[in-house]
Amino acid sequence: RNRHSTFSIQHPHRSALLPSICHRAEMNIFRLCGDISHQISIALLILQLCRAKNARGISVKTQELRLLVFLTRYLDLFTKFYSLYNSIVKIGYILATAMIIVGIKYMDPIKSVYNAEHDSFPHWKYCVAPSILLALVLS
């Protein structure tokens, strides 16, 4: 062992820059930056919805697809614990996306301004159904 090195590169959870709740094998600075930028983008979207009181330019169908991706991608929440950070971020993505959908579809004044005719892509037919079919065939 080199007496001049204090931490090995395989143990980023020991770094002062990363929270101690991060899983050592899964966490690196690039993932942390990606998570932070994703969390900021979701927060800005929610802030914009609250500030503008309308969903102009926001597709509910895209948000529904994002929620479906998060729900299916994060099924490991029920089978394996990686870290507190990982669990909180995954649950946060799911809840925030669900909150955006509920806000646009069911909460006044946003729902009264939302124009579903402009958000008319048949996403269940052209995105979800083929994805399920491919998953069943290729898995």
Side-chain angles (χ1 to χ4, degrees):
R1 177 181 159 129
N2 183 349
R3 65 179 193 185
H4 298 290
S5 66
T6 55
F7 301 113
S8 78
I9 196 108
Q10 289 82 20
H11 298 290
H13 71 285
R14 293 183 187 169
S15 169
L17 297 175
L18 297 175
S20 63
I21 57 176
C22 297
H23 181 48
R24 66 181 170 84
E26 299 292 325
M27 201 65 194
N28 63 44
I29 194 69
F30 299 108
R31 178 173 175 195
L32 184 63
C33 289
D35 286 347
I36 290 171
S37 64
H38 194 200
Q39 292 162 5
I40 290 171
S41 70
I42 290 172
L44 289 174
L45 181 57
I46 292 170
L47 183 66
Q48 176 62 22
L49 281 171
C50 293
R51 190 178 59 86
K53 304 286 190 235
N54 69 56
R56 193 169 294 126
I58 301 170
S59 169
V60 171
K61 294 185 178 187
T62 299
Q63 298 305 315
E64 290 171 346
L65 289 172
R66 288 181 68 222
L67 181 60
L68 183 63
V69 166
F70 290 147
L71 289 172
T72 55
R73 186 174 177 195
Y74 299 149
L75 286 173
D76 64 342
L77 280 170
F78 301 107
T79 60
K80 186 171 182 180
F81 180 79
Y82 291 101
S83 70
L84 183 60
Y85 170 84
N86 192 359
S87 298
I88 289 171
V89 167
K90 289 178 179 183
I91 292 168
Y93 288 161
I94 292 168
L95 292 177
T97 306
M99 187 173 97
I100 291 167
I101 295 168
V102 168
I104 293 172
K105 286 181 123 178
Y106 304 109
M107 295 177 69
D108 281 321
I110 299 170
K111 80 172 185 175
S112 61
V113 181
Y114 173 67
N115 188 351
E117 291 175 10
H118 290 185
D119 195 11
S120 60
F121 180 72
H123 63 307
W124 297 111
K125 181 178 178 181
Y126 291 116
C127 292
V128 178
S131 296
I132 291 172
L133 183 65
L134 281 172
L136 292 173
V137 169
L138 299 175
S139 298

